[in-house]
Amino acid sequence: MKFNSLKYTDLFSLKSFSIFALSAILLTLTSCFGVRSSSAGGEVTGVGGYAWAEPTPYGMVLIDRGNIFMGPSTEDSVRGVKGNPRGVSIDAFWMDETEITNSKYKQFVFWVRDSIIRERLADPAFGGNEAFKIEEDREGNPITPYLNWSKAIPWRNANEDEARAIESVYRVNPITGRRELDPTQLNYRYEIYNHTEAARRKNRIDPATRQYNTDLPMPTELPVISKDTAYFNDEGEIIRETISRPLTGDYDFLNTYIVNIYPDTTCWINDFDNAYNEPYTRMYFSHAGYNNYPVVGVSWEQANAFSNWRTDFLKRSLGREGVYIEPYRLPTEAEWEYAARAGNSETPYPWEETLPYDERGCFYANFKPMDGDYVRDGHVITSPVGTYAANDFGLYDMAGNVSEWTSTAYTESIDKLTSDINPEYRYDAAKEDPYKMKRKIVRGGSWKDVAQNIRSDLRMWEYQNEQRSYIGFRNVRTQIGFAKGTQKKKK
């Protein structure tokens, strides 16, 4: 595997996040929700407060609540498409205008790199500079240690110990002799609280609240739950386990993950036998010329790690670590299809026409137009995000370019298992589960697919740990407040 050198001059500034957007969010998050008491002759008049609307998250558009008939509306026996539309309703959410780019994903990679360097700069083995890690409050009382991101890494004027800490995340390629980032060290640890499982009545500790039917005996045994955990063993290897045990408290719904987050740049070779794709393995992710192209070679697990980091990055930037905000996440399959089709149940594509090009022959998306002909639409592989016109919701590349991960697990009977309001099917596969239980739904088709396979109403899947040259992702956030969207009126 070959990786180009990532020098400090390439560092994406953590301040690159839109300052005005952060300021707007900060103002809304710090809004006071006052309680107003009213005297009305002893009558109950309700508790007052200050309503507020969430500002537009950077690079996202608001998708208003609505409904759609999911899936193909007509049968196509030639292509094996079954017409089984199903009506569903979706609440409002924000969605990235474009797929996550190499540039944005690099910011994640460099943040992980810098966190490792700061950790080592504070380590006595590398000089022990306490300024890089805060372990006491202003009064000198011990606190849970955290990295000091306001302390700059001495990229240019490091002393000997600091230079060793910085260089420890790099390696020299034995073939090219180049200094390059060591991808094996780029592991991101995060925790997710499973609100859904914690809210289930069957998982309550108090048996009286687990069973409301007084004709039935009260449960006596504690429910058994499973949680994911991850840690490093003595050899530095990542150990992932799914633990089953009797419920003891809220902590049992906190899942821990450690994910190596560097994209698999070799996917360009492994996806295509007997093809000269070596330049893409060396350049697609690392070269700045591809910064505005969609990131690929990222698994479902890595996409989730990015989503968690993006949420925490926003909190840290706002100084709101202790405040809950709606997290960035992968879209559900239903959210994705509703957004891609702009709420229009009549057309299978993000555009109204039934063909992938207009009367002049201009293409609406990046895909494979003809047998062996990838370039008729102007591109051989991926294209820069936003190259083609947006759909009526203001979203780009919802067909073609790269397929996109959703949060939804795949099973053949998914339509029978899910609700018709915000439908979602999740299955957190344990390491020991059969591989077929680790399938996740991807949507939209890619640059390598023919027109049939970039339809927005078709369901496809991939294994959650696979890293493909034709699969990327974008994020969503559940909308809160009372803001109205800016989409065009659906026809």
Side-chain angles (χ1 to χ4, degrees), residues 466-487:
E466 276 288 2
Q467 299 161 294
R468 298 295 192 181
S469 60
Y470 47 84
I471 299 180
F473 70 100
R474 71 180 77 207
N475 281 150
V476 298
R477 277 178 68 189
T478 299
Q479 188 257 347
I480 55 177
F482 308 99
K484 293 181 70 63
T486 56
Q487 304 95 300

Side-chain angles (χ1 to χ4, degrees), residues 350-372:
W351 47 86
E352 294 185 2
E353 290 77 6
T354 57
L355 296 174
Y357 49 82
D358 62 20
E359 66 279 357
R360 298 170 299 169
C362 296
F363 289 93
Y364 294 130
N366 177 16
F367 64 106
K368 183 181 178 181
M370 298 182 69
D371 184 24

Side-chain angles (χ1 to χ4, degrees), residues 77-386:
S77 58
V78 175
R79 295 181 175 86
V81 176
K82 295 182 179 180
N84 56 347
R86 175 181 177 234
V88 299
S89 293
I90 311 295
D91 210 343
F93 59 96
W94 301 96
M95 191 175 213
D96 282 325
E97 290 179 307
T98 70
E99 295 141 343
I100 297 299
T101 61
N102 283 322
S103 175
K104 290 182 178 179
Y105 198 85
K106 281 181 189 176
Q107 187 173 348
F108 178 34
V109 169
F110 290 165
W111 186 93
V112 172
R113 176 199 65 180
D114 292 354
S115 68
I116 295 172
I117 292 175
R118 281 186 165 83
E119 193 73 49
R120 290 176 184 171
L121 287 168
D123 189 333
F126 294 94
N129 189 337
E130 296 178 354
F132 286 97
K133 197 169 188 178
I134 308 300
E135 298 184 352
E136 297 178 346
D137 61 18
R138 294 180 179 179
E139 286 73 37
N141 301 312
I143 58 175
T144 302
Y146 63 92
L147 295 178
N148 181 11
W149 286 90
S150 64
K151 175 67 175 175
I153 295 174
W155 296 102
R156 295 182 181 274
N157 56 348
N159 60 37
E160 184 177 346
D161 286 331
E162 292 170 339
R164 284 194 303 113
I166 293 172
E167 289 302 313
S168 67
V169 299
Y170 290 88
R171 69 182 185 185
V172 176
N173 188 300
I175 306 299
T176 65
R178 285 185 172 184
R179 171 183 177 269
E180 61 190 21
L181 195 61
D182 182 1
T184 64
Q185 297 189 50
L186 298 176
N187 300 309
Y188 176 70
R189 181 185 182 277
Y190 68 101
E191 295 178 329
I192 290 290
Y193 185 78
N194 193 331
H195 289 271
T196 299
E197 289 303 310
R200 294 192 189 281
R201 188 176 296 170
K202 67 178 184 179
N203 288 332
R204 295 175 181 174
I205 293 180
D206 182 359
T209 60
R210 265 185 267 148
Q211 176 58 263
Y212 286 177
N213 188 341
T214 55
D215 292 338
L216 299 176
M218 184 179 297
T220 56
E221 295 183 355
L222 287 172
V224 176
I225 58 90
S226 64
K227 63 175 292 184
D228 295 327
T229 185
Y231 58 91
F232 291 101
N233 64 14
D234 294 337
E235 286 73 39
E237 301 170 322
I238 299 175
I239 304 300
R240 299 178 182 176
E241 296 179 342
T242 299
I243 301 172
S244 295
R245 66 185 185 194
L247 179 65
T248 59
D250 286 341
Y251 178 79
D252 290 322
F253 299 106
L254 190 66
N255 297 273
T256 303
Y257 302 95
I258 301 176
V259 180
N260 183 275
I261 53 92
Y262 203 87
D264 181 9
T265 60
T266 69
C267 62
W268 294 99
I269 291 177
N270 290 304
D271 286 344
F272 302 95
D273 290 334
N274 301 315
Y276 182 65
N277 288 338
E278 285 185 26
Y280 304 140
T281 70
R282 292 190 294 266
M283 308 296 283
Y284 185 82
F285 183 66
S286 61
H287 195 283
Y290 286 103
N291 272 354
N292 203 37
Y293 285 66
V295 68
V296 297
V298 173
S299 69
W300 181 86
E301 296 164 350
Q302 291 172 315
N304 276 294
F306 174 93
S307 305
N308 179 268
W309 166 79
R310 189 177 179 182
T311 304
D312 285 348
F313 180 67
L314 175 59
K315 288 181 180 180
R316 279 188 296 268
S317 299
L318 298 174
R320 309 293 293 183
E321 287 91 341
V323 175
Y324 179 82
I325 64 172
E326 281 298 322
Y328 292 99
R329 56 183 174 82
L330 293 178
T332 67
E333 180 194 25
E335 287 173 332
W336 194 96
E337 181 173 334
Y338 173 69
R341 300 172 73 180
N344 188 344
S345 302
E346 303 302 319
T347 175
Y349 291 107
W351 47 86
E352 294 185 2
E353 290 77 6
T354 57
L355 296 174
Y357 49 82
D358 62 20
E359 66 279 357
R360 298 170 299 169
C362 296
F363 289 93
Y364 294 130
N366 177 16
F367 64 106
K368 183 181 178 181
M370 298 182 69
D371 184 24
D373 186 352
Y374 294 85
V375 299
R376 187 176 292 267
D377 59 7
H379 307 275
V380 177
I381 54 169
T382 56
S383 56
V385 298

Side-chain angles (χ1 to χ4, degrees), residues 456-468:
S456 305
D457 59 350
L458 293 184
R459 176 180 295 140
M460 295 165 282
W461 58 265
E462 184 54 271
Y463 295 104
Q464 66 186 46
N465 63 342
E466 276 288 2
Q467 299 161 294
R468 298 295 192 181

Side-chain angles (χ1 to χ4, degrees), residues 1 12 70 159 193 236 331 364 388 442:
M1 186 181 299
F12 279 67
M70 283 185 66
N159 60 37
Y193 185 78
Y364 294 130
Y388 299 87
V442 295

